[in-house]
Amino acid sequence: MEWSDKHLMAFAKRYPVALVRGEGVRVWDSDGKEYLDFTGGIAVTALGHCHPKVVGTMREQAATLLHVSNYFHIPQQIQLAKLLADHSFADRVFFSNSGAEANETAIKLARKWAKEHGGSDRGDIITMRGGFHGRTLATVTATAQEKYHHGFEPLPGGFKYVAFNDLKALERAIDSHTAAVLVEPIQGEGGINVPDDGYLPGLRKLCDEAGILLMLDEIQTGMGRTGTLWAYEHSGVTPDVLTVAKALANGVPIGATLATDEVAQVLTPGTHGTTFGGNPFSTAVGITVLATLIQERLPERAAAMGRRLRERLLALQERHRGAVKEVRGRGLLLGIDLVPPVGDVVAACRERGLLVLTAGDNVLRLAPPLVVPEESVDRAAAIIGDALGALRA
Ligand SMILES: Cc1ncc(COP(=O)(O)O)c(C=O)c1O
């Protein structure tokens, strides 16, 4: 930790814990202390730590072929693209290495599509206040939260912000310069903000009327986390573009931008690229993860375990009225809007062997693996209750 202070750029405030081993929903630190991991590596380890199928694929692919380049056909990349297309609205996929890169690709796609379909002055992307889309210059600008912008100006142009869950505000903001709307179906980092049921259908309608693209950032909500493979499935409408990363390869870096044929065709050879994106290793793991999610019906499991966890959190809210303002979220992406400082609750949970996340201003965020057993759900809720009780005492 002394070397960490000396040699790492201090971009994150780290907890005084070094995690060294994991299995399923459990992790151990360098002192041998065991924790229940309800962070899932920030909604990444959907199949849990060291899932035998994931480990098997990694071993096999690492010993067969790790990396070539996109000048060659990569069978695993083709198969993962087909699997994603077979299980979504999309026809085509571009693979990258992170969520931010997946969103960068979406932004580039939208601008090129709009120029080819609406005129040279159409390039603006409208995003929602409180959203989160990444840390590269374009995606941090798409992230309509000034606290992430401070000090990095000048920011790239062509982004406009409106209030989340406000269709009227969006309608007013769309003009002849707009290319697309980019939005999370549920705001994750922003505080587990769930919009009204009519919001996504309303967005679809406004985008269709204006002839602009609807792009969903499902980097946190995708891969079964909200109880369906993609969160848009709850809404009855489909997007034109969708981005996914985080859980797609259970921790091996990967990002993917999914699009309809009509939109995807604007990326012609030479217009975009990547060295690592879609390499045999990350896409082989992606196939294993996505196929396992589908075969083992893990989105349904996330819905059931999410209901169980939510029930227990609502019971906690009853018991700790002064400490819990609201429980919100969907499936296994849940937030507890707290009265006491969330940092104190996170620390009290950690002392009791439970790792949790924060979000928004003062929200405790839970994103456990989708394979979480019932007894771990119950135990996590009991620890949170104990932590809240101890802080009040
Ligand atoms: C909704 C959403 N979009 C984009 C990102 C950025 O992903 P990455 O950190 O892989 O670049 C995140 C990360 O938290 C996210 O939650």
Side-chain angles (χ1 to χ4, degrees):
M1 285 180 198
E2 209 179 292
W3 288 355
S4 169
D5 282 347
K6 201 164 163 206
H7 297 298
L8 288 176
M9 294 199 191
F11 70 94
K13 217 164 138 194
R14 293 175 206 271
Y15 302 126
V17 174
L19 299 175
V20 293
R21 189 165 70 83
E23 193 184 313
V25 74
R26 295 178 302 163
V27 285
W28 287 264
D29 71 14
S30 49
D31 296 326
K33 180 171 172 176
E34 182 182 320
Y35 302 86
L36 265 182
D37 182 6
F38 269 50
T39 72
I42 322 185
V44 168
T45 52
L47 299 185
H49 297 285
C50 296
H51 189 288
K53 284 188 188 166
V54 175
V55 173
T57 300
M58 289 172 74
R59 285 214 168 101
E60 203 180 305
Q61 193 58 48
T64 307
L65 187 67
L66 188 68
H67 176 84
V68 279
S69 81
N70 282 301
Y71 286 121
F72 302 94
H73 287 287
I74 298 172
Q76 294 81 2
Q77 185 183 133
I78 300 167
Q79 258 189 57
L80 181 56
K82 178 164 180 354
L83 199 56
L84 283 165
D86 287 347
H87 293 277
S88 74
F89 73 98
D91 301 303
R92 290 175 187 268
V93 185
F94 175 86
F95 289 105
S96 51
N97 312 287
S98 66
E101 270 185 90
N103 281 336
E104 286 271 348
T105 300
I107 293 162
K108 287 178 76 175
L109 259 180
R111 289 190 171 161
K112 200 153 187 298
W113 178 85
K115 286 189 175 60
E116 290 179 16
H117 288 79
S120 58
D121 57 350
R122 280 181 63 183
D124 284 0
I125 313 290
I126 300 179
T127 64
M128 308 305 154
R129 294 212 171 269
F132 187 88
H133 301 292
R135 300 285 199 155
T136 60
L137 276 170
T139 60
V140 86
T141 308
T143 296
Q145 300 193 57
E146 277 75 15
K147 67 179 179 192
Y148 294 117
H149 300 166
H150 187 65
F152 298 117
E153 302 84 355
L155 298 171
F159 292 91
K160 241 169 131 173
Y161 310 140
V162 299
F164 185 57
N165 199 24
D166 186 342
L167 292 169
K168 286 263 172 307
L170 178 65
E171 194 172 4
R172 283 194 299 274
I174 294 172
D175 61 22
S176 59
H177 300 291
T178 311
V181 168
L182 172 65
V183 59
E184 294 159 90
I186 294 175
Q187 290 186 333
E189 300 290 322
I192 315 297
N193 304 318
V194 186
D196 300 336
D197 286 346
Y199 186 56
L200 249 54
L203 287 179
R204 179 71 275 174
K205 189 162 171 279
L206 287 178
C207 288
D208 287 344
E209 283 166 7
I212 61 175
L213 299 181
L214 175 59
M215 310 203 291
L216 294 182
D217 179 338
E218 291 234 26
I219 286 161
Q220 191 152 160
T221 57
M223 297 298 286
R225 180 143 299 277
T226 69
T228 48
L229 187 57
W230 311 110
Y232 74 75
E233 292 170 42
H234 298 293
S235 73
V237 296
T238 58
D240 302 296
V241 176
L242 178 147
T243 53
V244 53
K246 289 195 184 278
L248 181 52
N250 213 57
V252 173
I254 191 168
T257 308
L258 282 59
T260 58
D261 252 334
E262 194 217 319
V263 178
Q265 48 103 13
V266 301
L267 286 195
T268 49
T271 51
H272 195 43
T274 169
T275 297
F276 293 125
N279 83 9
F281 188 74
S282 62
T283 48
V285 180
I287 294 167
T288 296
V289 175
L290 186 52
T292 304
L293 272 184
I294 293 163
Q295 279 156 18
E296 298 184 5
R297 297 177 165 274
L298 293 180
E300 283 103 309
R301 191 187 160 73
M305 288 303 112
R307 273 194 298 275
R308 189 180 180 98
L309 183 53
R310 172 193 277 275
E311 271 170 27
R312 275 146 189 71
L313 298 179
L314 288 171
L316 285 185
Q317 185 183 17
E318 277 295 310
R319 220 172 336 129
H320 300 275
R321 280 241 160 255
V324 177
K325 284 197 243 172
E326 194 186 11
V327 174
R328 52 183 188 248
R330 194 153 202 174
L332 283 173
L333 184 60
L334 292 173
I336 312 172
D337 202 343
L338 290 169
V339 177
V342 65
D344 294 351
V345 183
V346 170
C349 286
R350 192 171 62 242
E351 278 165 25
R352 290 164 175 75
L354 173 69
L355 303 179
V356 293
L357 295 161
T358 64
D361 289 335
N362 203 42
V363 176
L364 188 129
R365 176 173 36 152
L366 303 170
L370 311 190
V371 294
V372 63
E374 285 178 2
E375 57 270 22
S376 300
V377 167
D378 298 350
R379 173 131 185 79
I383 292 176
I384 296 167
D386 193 37
L388 289 174
L391 286 172
R392 279 211 310 180

